[in-house]
Amino acid sequence: GAGVSQSPSNKVTEKGKDVELRCDPISGHTALYWYRQRLGQGLEFLIYFQGNSAPDKSGLPSDRFSAERTGESVSTLTIQRTQQEDSAVYLCASSLRGSITYEQYFGPGTRLTVT
Amino acid sequence: AQSVTQPDIHITVSEGASLELRCNYSYGATPYLFWYVQSPGQGLQLLLKYFSGDTLVQGIKGFEAEFKRSQSSFNLRKPSVHWSDAAEYFCAVGRTLSGGYNKLIFGAGTRLAVHP
């Protein structure tokens, strides 16, 4: 079946512009995660959605970052007034449930470059 | 706070040689441990995981890892490396929070190069 997909694959934007990154999880997966991967670093947790529960936003680095998810489908990560330090690969993952026993499946990521 | 350390940023091995990638974690409770591989242009793929039980776990692509509580380590091994194993490898610890979900904390990764 189809895996996690993300769009766009690459995004170049000017400092100060807003960007939207999209994630399509695997059908039927109730849990969805966003991570950020800066060059030469590991993945940094940003936000987690589980079904209709309130999302865990504890990893969002500033109020310029926000994310939405419609039910158990598509999620959008929005970065407002982008800064150069926002340049990174943004990865989305989904899992059947949010429990530790369920594997997270990752998308290929969106590479964001802020000039 | 939980953390994961991968001491080796880059490793180069010859094809057919054995491989060991190091991972040390800091976690107060019984950890849930994972190794992921990220090939160029690909998303992360789970190689193996440890939750409990046998401390030697087998994964896909011929990889294995051993959990050593006394050393707070979860090193990844492969007896004979193939050129297609060239990739970046991430160790992660899963933290179970109230609400039952697994927050993964990743190490910085080890980039593996394979010489023919």
Side-chain angles (χ1 to χ4, degrees):
Chain A
V4 177
S5 61
Q6 294 186 244
S7 60
S9 55
N10 282 283
K11 177 71 177 178
V12 180
T13 189
E14 292 179 354
K15 178 181 173 181
K17 301 283 189 181
D18 298 352
V19 294
E20 280 191 357
L21 312 180
R22 177 187 170 105
C23 172
D24 282 273
I26 293 172
S27 177
H29 281 196
T30 63
L32 186 146
Y33 309 79
W34 282 98
Y35 295 88
R36 178 171 69 178
Q37 185 179 20
R38 286 175 161 153
L39 187 65
Q41 298 184 23
L43 279 73
E44 174 189 6
F45 166 80
L46 296 178
I47 189 168
Y48 157 77
F49 295 90
Q50 170 60 52
N52 294 317
S53 302
D56 177 348
K57 305 179 182 180
S58 61
L60 294 179
S62 77
D63 59 7
R64 295 186 296 104
F65 287 72
S66 63
E68 294 183 347
R69 187 183 187 194
T70 307
E72 296 182 352
S73 62
V74 171
S75 176
T76 302
L77 177 69
T78 301
I79 308 173
Q80 296 179 310
R81 306 181 302 281
T82 52
Q83 303 295 313
Q84 288 187 331
E85 65 261 28
D86 300 332
S87 295
V89 176
Y90 290 83
L91 290 162
C92 174
S94 71
S95 64
L96 190 60
R97 300 289 184 268
S99 165
I100 195 80
T101 58
Y102 292 96
E103 179 178 346
Q104 292 187 25
Y105 293 84
F106 285 81
T110 294
R111 182 176 299 277
L112 175 66
T113 304
V114 182
T115 61
Chain B
Q2 295 80 16
S3 65
V4 177
T5 302
Q6 294 181 246
D8 305 304
I9 299 174
H10 294 281
I11 284 184
T12 301
V13 299
S14 298
E15 190 169 18
S18 63
L19 172 70
E20 183 168 26
L21 302 183
R22 295 184 290 164
C23 172
N24 293 96
Y25 66 89
S26 171
Y27 190 63
T30 301
Y32 299 100
L33 295 161
F34 305 80
W35 274 99
Y36 283 84
V37 60
Q38 185 176 36
S39 299
Q42 304 292 317
L44 272 75
Q45 181 182 21
L46 180 67
L47 283 175
L48 46 78
K49 61 189 176 186
Y50 171 78
F51 290 168
S52 65
D54 192 346
T55 56
L56 184 64
V57 293
Q58 303 295 323
I60 62 171
K61 304 185 180 186
F63 285 92
E64 67 178 25
E66 185 170 13
F67 169 59
K68 293 186 177 180
R69 184 186 299 276
S70 62
Q71 298 176 19
S72 298
S73 70
F74 188 57
N75 294 349
L76 182 71
R77 302 194 294 248
K78 187 169 184 178
S80 178
V81 170
H82 188 263
W83 64 266
S84 61
D85 293 324
E88 188 145 24
Y89 292 80
F90 292 93
C91 181
V93 61
R95 178 187 171 194
T96 300
L97 302 179
S98 60
Y101 87 92
N102 53 325
K103 180 175 181 176
L104 290 177
I105 299 166
F106 286 83
T110 297
R111 184 168 297 278
L112 174 68
V114 180
H115 279 177

